[in-house]
Structures are given as structure tokens and as C-alpha cells.
Amino acid sequence: MFFQIMAPEFARACSCIADPYSKTYQLYKKTWYGTQRKWSCVYTCQDSQQKRTEVTGYHSDWYVTDKGLEGICDGLHYVNIYNAHRGDFVWKFEEARWFNPAQSTSADLKKWSQSCR
């Protein structure tokens, strides 16, 4: 019984989860040949001692096409559903998931993950 209660907390050690409502754009430049985006998201990161810290992760990327999942915060999961009102498929936010910050493109999250040993 004890293991079942504690397992999820240990599984989150040295991982982060995004606040899905924290995304802010620092740059959104759309041209005929693509879109340059710079954005930040606030993440709650949990170390191996289960101490939580808020980390702002900054991201930057260039997109030639726009399929709807460009420029999202790490760890956010979207599902593609049919929207009868629009008559097309749209991406709908489903959940925020814990992820390994060492695999992020954000230098801030990678730096935090280095301190989580």
C-alpha cells in the first residue's frame, strides 16, 4: 500500500509540468516564407527531494508551415478532434504531463535539470 501512494511522487523526481495558461509571446513574426516565434512558459519543477520550484522556460523556433502545434509549452498534450461548427479538425488541449527538462529546448529548463541530482 505504501509503495502505491509514494510511486507517483518518486516518478516526478527531477521533472517539470507546464502551467497551460502561462504562455506569453516575446516575438511572433509572420512572413510569406514562415513564422519566427519566441515564447515563454512557467513550469513547476520537482527535484529528487520533492521540493517544487517555478522555472520560466524560454523557447525560440522557426516554422515554415503551421499545423497547429507550433510554439507550445513542453509537456502539453493536445488531441486532434473534429469540430462540427468549423467543419474541420482542430487541436484541443487535453492535459499537462510531467516531462524530463533535460530534453527540453529551453536552456533554463536544462540548467535546472543539471542541478537536480
Side-chain angles (χ1 to χ4, degrees):
M1 183 73 144
F2 176 76
F3 179 75
Q4 291 176 341
I5 294 170
M6 297 305 289
E9 292 301 317
F10 287 123
R12 295 180 187 158
C14 296
S15 62
C16 300
I17 190 167
D19 174 350
Y21 305 105
S22 67
K23 177 179 168 182
T24 56
Y25 276 105
Q26 286 75 47
L27 175 70
Y28 186 94
K29 183 178 178 184
K30 192 168 187 152
T31 65
W32 65 271
Y33 51 87
T35 306
Q36 181 183 14
R37 298 179 193 197
K38 292 183 180 184
W39 69 99
S40 63
C41 304
V42 176
Y43 298 90
T44 299
C45 298
Q46 181 168 295
D47 66 17
S48 57
Q49 303 301 315
Q50 299 180 13
K51 179 184 173 202
R52 293 187 176 189
T53 306
E54 278 197 356
V55 178
T56 301
Y58 292 89
H59 307 272
S60 178
D61 214 338
W62 177 264
Y63 301 97
V64 177
T65 61
D66 194 344
K67 297 180 181 176
L69 288 180
E70 295 78 12
I72 63 171
C73 303
D74 290 342
L76 297 186
H77 181 71
Y78 289 80
V79 292
N80 201 2
I81 61 166
Y82 186 76
N83 182 310
H85 180 70
R86 289 191 58 188
D88 199 359
F89 285 88
V90 296
W91 290 103
K92 179 183 177 223
F93 173 69
E94 185 175 60
E95 67 180 342
R97 296 179 179 173
W98 290 89
F99 67 95
N100 180 352
Q103 297 175 344
S104 175
T105 59
S106 168
D108 309 284
L109 290 173
K110 285 183 181 187
K111 182 179 176 183
W112 181 87
S113 73
Q114 293 299 314
S115 68
C116 186
R117 304 252 178 216

